[in-house]
Amino acid sequence: MKDRIKVITEEALKEIGACRAGEDTVEALRVKYLGRKGIITELFKQIGSVPAEDKPEIGKLINILKESVTRSLDEKSLLVPSAEEKAPPIDVTLPGESGHIGRIHPITRTIDEINSLFVSLGFRIVEGPEIETEHYNFETLNIPLEHPSRDAFDTFYVSFEKKTLLRSHTSPVQTRFMEKNRPPFAIVVPGRVFRPDATDASHSFMFHQVEGLVVGQDIKFSDLKGTLTTFARQMFGKEVRMRFRPSFFPFTEPSAEVDISCIVCGGKAGEKRCSMCGGKGWLEIMGAGMVNPKVFEAVGYNPEKVTGFAFGMGVERIAILKYGINDIRLFFENDLRFLRQF
Ligand code: DAH
């Protein structure tokens, strides 16, 4: 028994000496030696089987062992571990962890680009409300009651009584602005618009437009052509050619659909395999025209004295063409694999 106590004493002090201050192993050793089923606790239990005359001495030895183990363990757990003991040394040659840097959304980026291009041509940026009235969304723009876009199925009405709706285009900001300002001016109006279209690769119930309006004395169709040509060449490349196709919008007269020569095949007619234009050679980028005199009358301008031109483009359409994107839904799904490419 005496020998066992001696061996245990040596082992215990060696083990305790080897463990690091403040570490969990200190507490594990406390359990191992002093716990309810610990080695020293077991020794006390064995005293019963020791011959009576040896009991006092053995008891004393076990008590000494218990005290010295308790003291050593206490010292270890009270000691504050040195920095070196606490953490392994730092390897300064390891590569650092980089933080996450956000990106500008491709739609925001395209709006910014369009805006700054027009600002460089002397335009001002103006915004308007997303919840509009029938009055501005349709009436002031010469869109008659029987026009299909005024149908409840073709517009998100907010209230039939108040005649409020989610604007279906940014054009209402034209008349809102004209009511409060006098010509001459040149404005661009970026913003969200809403149409109850079924979502597919080329349709979304919400998308973005940039509207343009220039009003003054002697503003001509050639000014419209020059401005939009400058815009398209800066946006898509110097070699881009323009086509103005006769069209119809209630708020412009005459009206045009504006096309650019295909930016993939260069507009070579008959290039049937072109993934972008499918052989047409042209890509539609916006609607435009000379402001209809009826629109001027609706805001109290004298159509005999002022003329102007207007245009409206879909931002997603511009971004899709510029970046070669094949599905409008990608802009709104927040898939980081897509967004990280911009
Ligand atoms: N508001 C038209 C649309 O949403 C786009 C448009 C066409 C705007 C011709 C204009 C314009 O200002 O002159 O389809």
Side-chain angles (χ1 to χ4, degrees):
M1 190 77 177
K2 271 194 210 163
D3 286 345
R4 272 205 67 209
I5 295 170
K6 203 174 157 214
V7 170
I8 291 170
T9 308
E10 276 167 13
E11 261 178 24
L13 296 181
K14 208 167 112 194
E15 261 192 301
I16 296 167
C19 77
R20 282 187 180 163
E23 270 188 355
D24 293 347
T25 45
V26 177
E27 291 318 304
L29 287 177
R30 199 186 293 280
V31 173
K32 177 176 176 184
Y33 288 101
L34 304 169
R36 264 196 309 125
K37 287 182 181 160
I39 293 170
I40 294 173
T41 318
E42 293 298 324
L43 280 180
F44 277 119
K45 286 179 194 161
Q46 287 163 22
I47 286 181
S49 55
V50 167
E53 67 272 24
D54 292 339
K55 271 184 192 165
E57 198 195 347
I58 298 290
K60 206 170 153 196
L61 285 174
I62 302 175
N63 267 324
I64 291 169
L65 166 63
K66 185 185 171 182
E67 263 169 39
S68 67
V69 166
T70 307
R71 201 179 329 109
S72 316
L73 284 171
D74 286 351
E75 268 171 22
K76 279 282 175 183
S77 56
L78 286 176
L79 270 181
V80 178
S82 69
E84 220 168 78
E85 278 175 319
K86 228 195 302 186
I90 296 165
D91 182 351
V92 292
T93 64
L94 284 174
E97 265 180 47
S98 62
H100 291 288
I101 299 169
R103 284 170 164 72
I104 305 287
H105 190 279
I107 292 302
T108 311
R109 174 189 285 252
T110 307
I111 292 176
D112 289 348
E113 204 173 325
I114 297 169
N115 282 348
S116 65
L117 226 147
F118 280 106
V119 165
S120 75
L121 295 176
F123 283 68
R124 265 173 69 186
I125 300 166
V126 172
E127 288 183 310
E130 288 173 5
I131 297 180
E132 257 305 353
T133 57
E134 275 190 335
H135 177 72
Y136 287 108
N137 199 74
F138 301 122
E139 269 139 42
T140 59
L141 294 168
N142 190 38
I143 302 176
L145 199 53
E146 66 277 8
H147 193 278
S149 70
R150 294 189 65 160
D151 199 295
F153 295 106
D154 286 298
T155 307
F156 284 118
Y157 272 82
V158 176
S159 157
F160 280 118
E161 292 82 53
K162 291 190 192 138
K163 300 188 173 175
T164 49
L165 43 87
L166 298 183
R167 66 178 176 193
S168 58
H169 52 175
T170 42
S171 306
V173 188
Q174 287 191 20
T175 43
R176 279 184 178 276
F177 183 84
M178 284 194 275
E179 278 180 349
K180 296 216 167 83
N181 296 273
R182 299 279 108 194
F185 59 77
I187 59 167
V188 274
V189 184
R192 259 181 222 120
V193 302
F194 308 84
R195 292 179 197 176
D197 286 335
T199 304
D200 63 24
S202 52
H203 293 85
S204 168
F205 59 86
M206 184 281 296
F207 58 98
H208 300 75
Q209 288 186 330
V210 174
E211 186 83 13
L213 178 67
V214 176
V215 180
Q217 254 175 2
D218 282 333
I219 303 288
K220 297 183 284 293
F221 198 86
S222 53
D223 296 315
L224 176 151
K225 283 179 87 172
T227 304
L228 295 183
T229 303
T230 304
F231 162 76
R233 291 202 173 139
Q234 291 207 35
M235 199 73 185
F236 295 106
K238 283 198 292 291
E239 61 295 339
V240 154
R241 285 172 291 119
M242 308 294 289
R243 183 170 79 170
F244 295 80
R245 264 182 302 125
S247 185
F248 173 78
F249 297 103
F251 32 90
T252 44
E253 184 58 37
S255 305
E257 299 281 357
V258 182
D259 299 342
I260 55 169
S261 51
C262 178
I263 49 179
V264 170
C265 70
K268 283 188 223 92
E271 191 59 63
K272 288 230 164 42
R273 280 157 308 168
C274 178
S275 57
M276 190 63 105
C277 68
K280 284 192 235 121
W282 297 98
L283 303 166
E284 189 185 315
I285 57 164
M286 66 176 103
M290 299 306 290
V291 178
N292 191 317
K294 291 205 173 126
V295 175
F296 285 145
E297 277 162 16
V299 297
Y301 285 10
N302 183 349
E304 302 291 327
K305 294 222 167 110
V306 290
T307 53
F309 68 82
F311 56 89
M313 67 185 98
V315 177
E316 282 75 3
R317 170 99 183 129
I318 301 286
I320 279 170
L321 296 178
K322 196 170 162 70
Y323 298 114
I325 295 160
N326 58 12
D327 196 321
I328 195 172
R329 288 169 290 198
L330 287 165
F331 291 123
F332 309 119
E333 283 168 345
N334 285 334
D335 187 333
L336 292 179
R337 289 169 303 177
F338 171 73
L339 296 174
R340 283 203 179 110
Q341 298 174 70
F342 295 92

